[in-house]
Amino acid sequence: MINIVIAGAVGLVLSMLGTPLAIRLFSRRGYGQEIREEGPSGHHGKRGTPTMGGTVFVLAALLAYGGSHLATLTPPTVSGMLVLFLMTGLGAVGFLDDFIKIYKQRSLGLRSGAKALGQLVVGAVFAVLITRQPNVYGITPAETRLSFLRDIGPSIGIVGFTIWVLFMIVGFSNAVNLTDGLDGLASGATGVVLGAYVLIGNWQLRNNCIDQLGPNCYWVRDPLDLSVVAAAVLGALVGFLWWNAPPAKIFMGDTGSLALGGVLAGLAIATRTQLLLIILAGLCVIITSSVIIQVGFFKMTGKRVFRMAPLQHHFELKGWAETTIVVRFWLIAGLCAALGLGLFYVEWMPKP
């Protein structure tokens, strides 16, 4: 359990101290955010704010994870390393997207096809490896089955599972990317989900089938280390949020948002809670749905449902203050995470 505390604390300190250094470095080099002309007018004043801040908390999380294992003299696990690989790989795709925006001084970076290809390549490697590498008990980091509170139903086969994993990875990395539209919004919204996964991994550790075989035990390969991963990223994200809170002194960019979406998807797959993530990360799902509804309705009717999508910009154009939107959306994110945790624990309640 000390691994979780060390990972969170080290991630927090490294990110808290490293982010102002990144702000100065990126400002000196002119790595500022470009703003879309068709976006809310209030955002034009944010042009030039340093971006690519996700590099700070991704590096802080990696160092925190490694530091926790070094401090406790415990080896890293396959599950933890795979989730971190997914986070880092998608962060690299986002970094390339951010760098092109800065280099070409435009609000669009990688072409959508190239960006999707990068996500798919990283996701495919993760999908292939996650069903391999059994431990001494024959438990692999994931099975070729869908999961909610645990694995459910029959195997969907390696091809079907790979397609499903790719859908999750691309879907949630883009969902966090769409959520990252206001200062601190994505940081706070994903932070509560990471906190939920610290608790989920800890609960699965205490009720794993290796130590106590029972009807509700969990066949999860490395639950403790998955909690360590979640704690490391959470600590690093909190340190970053100190500087990213409104008014933001730095943006995470696609580097951070794609990385965060990846780590959420990776944790859900490795903890066998894939469908539960839809509830835990409910705010990201709602915001993504608003874009799908807006685009679909406009193509069918030529009219808009919202004043602007994603949803947070709709409320901006209605006159809500940015901090009001962020705090209220954080509350919604917290309620979604609480609901997901409640469902996770409900099967342990005594049956009448």
Side-chain angles (χ1 to χ4, degrees):
M1 300 304 295
I2 190 65
N3 297 57
I4 298 175
V5 177
I6 294 174
V10 173
L12 172 64
V13 171
L14 290 177
S15 186
M16 180 78 78
L17 298 179
T19 302
L21 297 178
I23 292 172
R24 289 196 289 271
L25 174 63
F26 294 165
S27 296
R28 193 180 309 123
R29 292 181 174 272
Y31 292 172
Q33 178 71 43
E34 292 296 319
I35 304 296
R36 294 169 57 188
E37 293 298 329
E38 63 271 24
S41 59
H43 287 212
H44 294 166
K46 299 181 181 183
R47 180 177 280 109
T49 301
T51 188
M52 295 195 302
T55 54
V56 179
F57 63 74
V58 168
L59 289 173
L62 293 173
L63 291 172
Y65 175 82
S68 69
H69 284 286
L70 187 62
T72 56
L73 299 179
T74 56
T77 66
V78 170
S79 300
M81 294 295 287
L82 282 174
V83 174
L84 290 175
F85 160 77
L86 182 59
M87 177 187 73
T88 308
L90 291 179
V93 175
F95 180 86
L96 183 59
D97 185 55
D98 287 333
F99 188 79
I100 291 174
K101 292 175 187 176
I102 293 167
Y103 182 75
K104 296 194 173 182
Q105 294 292 296
R106 66 187 191 191
S107 60
L108 297 176
L110 283 173
R111 295 184 182 276
S112 58
K115 189 174 181 179
L117 178 62
Q119 292 172 298
L120 290 173
V121 169
V122 174
V125 174
F126 174 83
V128 170
L129 295 177
I130 197 70
T131 56
R132 301 170 185 249
Q133 314 298 328
N135 61 9
V136 294
Y137 301 102
I139 306 173
T140 54
E143 297 287 343
T144 56
R145 300 162 65 188
L146 300 180
S147 61
F148 180 47
L149 306 179
R150 59 185 71 248
D151 287 333
I152 54 176
S155 169
I156 59 175
I158 187 63
V159 174
F161 184 74
T162 299
I163 294 172
W164 167 243
V165 168
L166 290 176
F167 176 78
M168 282 193 66
I169 291 170
V170 174
F172 277 99
S173 59
N174 287 329
V176 176
N177 185 246
L178 290 171
T179 304
D180 183 33
L182 299 179
D183 297 355
L185 179 56
S187 303
T190 53
V192 295
V193 184
L194 289 167
Y197 273 113
V198 173
L199 298 176
I200 287 172
N202 185 44
W203 184 261
Q204 290 176 333
L205 171 68
R206 294 175 180 274
N207 298 279
N208 69 85
C209 295
I210 303 302
D211 294 332
Q212 46 185 0
L213 188 62
N216 289 329
C217 67
Y218 297 99
W219 291 103
V220 175
R221 173 172 168 158
D222 306 300
L224 174 59
D225 208 40
L226 293 171
S227 275
V228 172
V229 170
V233 181
L234 175 58
L237 192 59
V238 170
F240 175 78
L241 181 57
W242 182 267
W243 305 99
N244 182 233
K249 293 179 173 58
I250 188 171
F251 299 140
M252 68 171 66
D254 283 17
T255 307
S257 59
L258 295 187
L260 288 176
V263 78
L264 294 185
L267 287 169
I269 293 164
T271 59
R272 319 291 176 94
T273 56
Q274 299 155 18
L275 296 175
L276 185 63
L277 180 59
I278 297 173
I279 299 172
L280 289 168
L283 176 66
C284 298
V285 174
I286 291 169
I287 288 175
T288 304
S289 299
S290 73
V291 176
I292 295 171
I293 292 170
Q294 182 86 324
V295 173
F297 193 79
F298 184 80
K299 286 184 176 180
M300 290 188 296
T301 67
K303 298 180 180 179
R304 293 178 171 84
V305 177
F306 309 104
R307 295 188 180 186
M308 182 177 286
L311 188 60
Q312 59 269 29
H313 299 320
H314 167 77
F315 290 106
E316 274 192 290
L317 294 182
K318 288 191 67 174
W320 288 25
E322 181 173 1
T323 51
T324 300
I325 300 170
V326 170
V327 172
R328 287 178 178 173
F329 275 38
W330 281 351
L331 292 174
I332 294 171
L335 289 172
C336 290
L339 175 60
L341 280 175
L343 291 173
F344 181 76
Y345 289 126
V346 73
E347 67 175 341
W348 287 85
M349 295 177 65
K351 305 296 187 295

